[in-house]
Amino acid sequence: MGDVATLLQAVGGLITAAAGAFVLVWTTVRSSKKERKDAAERAIEKLAVASEDGDITPDELADVLKELRGGEEL
């Protein structure tokens, strides 16, 4: 009976670890899609503001690209 209990414990641990890994990957993929969408929306808003005067300067374009890259400098 001890061998069966050990086997069930091992299988339970394996299932728990696999489920945890799946949830981690799922959460990472889902949140990164949302973050990319939010960054794109903010970049579009900045681009619209930059184009109001009819001219987009290199600094304004760099600011938009920085927003798309998640705040990283070019």
Side-chain angles (χ1 to χ4, degrees):
M1 188 70 169
D3 292 339
V4 174
T6 303
L7 178 64
L8 289 176
Q9 255 185 330
V11 169
L14 182 64
I15 290 171
T16 301
F22 174 77
V23 168
L24 176 66
V25 170
W26 179 264
T27 303
T28 302
V29 170
R30 294 284 295 162
S31 65
S32 66
K33 284 182 183 178
K34 182 175 178 4
E35 290 170 1
R36 285 191 306 248
K37 181 182 176 192
D38 291 345
E41 288 174 354
R42 287 191 304 269
I44 289 171
E45 289 172 5
K46 285 186 177 189
L47 193 57
V49 169
S51 67
E52 285 177 349
D53 63 356
D55 188 29
I56 299 174
T57 65
D59 290 335
E60 291 170 331
L61 188 57
D63 190 35
V64 170
L65 290 174
K66 182 180 173 184
E67 185 69 44
L68 285 172
R69 290 178 182 217
E72 297 176 11
E73 291 292 328
L74 298 176

